[in-house]
Every structure is written in C-alpha cells, then in structure tokens.
Amino acid sequence: MDTNPVVCIVDDDEAVRCATASVVRAVGWPTCVFASAEDFLQAADALGRLACLICDVQMTGMSGVEMHERLLARGCAPPIIFVTAFPTPELEARARANGASAFLEKPVDATTITGWLAQVCGKA
C-alpha cells in the first residue's frame, strides 16, 4: 500500500477536476481525483494519506461543505481548499467556521492553487 501523502481533488466537473489535478501534479504532489463527495468518502486509502483536499462546493448529490462536515464528524480534519462558482457570504462563513483553509471563486488560476497548496501543505 502506498503511504505517500496525496492531494485529493473532488469536483463533479471532469474538465475542472483534470485541470486541477494537472496543476497539482506539476508542482510535485501526487493526486487522487473523485467525481463526487460520496466517492471520496468511500475511499479509505485516500483518506489515510490525505495531505490536502481541494473540493468544489456545489456538486450533484452531497455538497463539498456537507462532505467536510462528515469528515469532521469522523474526527478527520484535513486542510481543505474550497472552490465554487457560486460564492455567498453565508456559505463562506460556514466553510471557514468548519476550518476551511481557503474559499476561492472559480475560475481559479494555477498560481492561486499552488500558492494555497504551499501555504497549507508547506511545499508547492
């Protein structure tokens, strides 16, 4: 079993998911990608190796904020960077109250993602 830390990307938009993973890999982080919050929550191996989570807020099914709350209820509090095309002050307040490292509006450029990765993970 691989024990290297990974950055997990959860986004139901395949193009965004793939582009984000490409940026993260380009700065040296291995990635795991998931098309839904439900898929991510079922991935025990990825949870055990999680360095950081980059997650869309609004997805089909469970939202990213709800997924984060479920992780917290399990006692898992990874650094999390939320991205959303539909930011609201209330949603940002809820995410930050739960410990979100960042709450970014889409589209997010590569420099912003790598900057936040460096800040929350110590390298990028």
Side-chain angles (χ1 to χ4, degrees):
M1 179 169 106
D2 191 353
T3 58
N4 290 326
V6 298
V7 174
C8 291
I9 298 149
V10 184
D11 198 310
D12 60 352
D13 182 321
E14 183 178 10
V16 172
R17 191 171 61 244
C18 292
T20 304
S22 179
V23 167
V24 172
R25 284 192 305 269
V27 294
W29 282 99
T31 62
C32 289
V33 296
F34 300 91
S36 72
E38 294 84 355
D39 288 349
F40 173 74
L41 289 173
Q42 294 174 10
D45 180 50
L47 284 172
R49 303 183 302 129
L50 189 56
C52 180
L53 184 57
I54 299 173
C55 185
D56 190 9
V57 172
Q58 293 185 323
M59 297 181 282
T60 304
M62 185 185 309
S63 77
V65 174
E66 291 168 325
M67 179 193 74
H68 187 223
E69 289 170 345
R70 289 202 185 177
L71 287 172
L72 294 171
R74 291 182 183 180
C76 181
I80 187 165
I81 298 168
F82 281 114
V83 293
T84 184
F86 306 99
T88 66
E90 297 80 17
L91 199 53
E92 181 173 3
R94 180 176 168 193
R96 290 198 181 274
N98 287 330
S101 299
F103 191 87
L104 309 173
E105 185 172 355
K106 288 181 177 179
V108 180
D109 64 42
T111 302
T112 301
I113 289 290
T114 57
W116 277 104
L117 271 177
Q119 187 170 335
V120 301
C121 297
K123 75 171 191 176

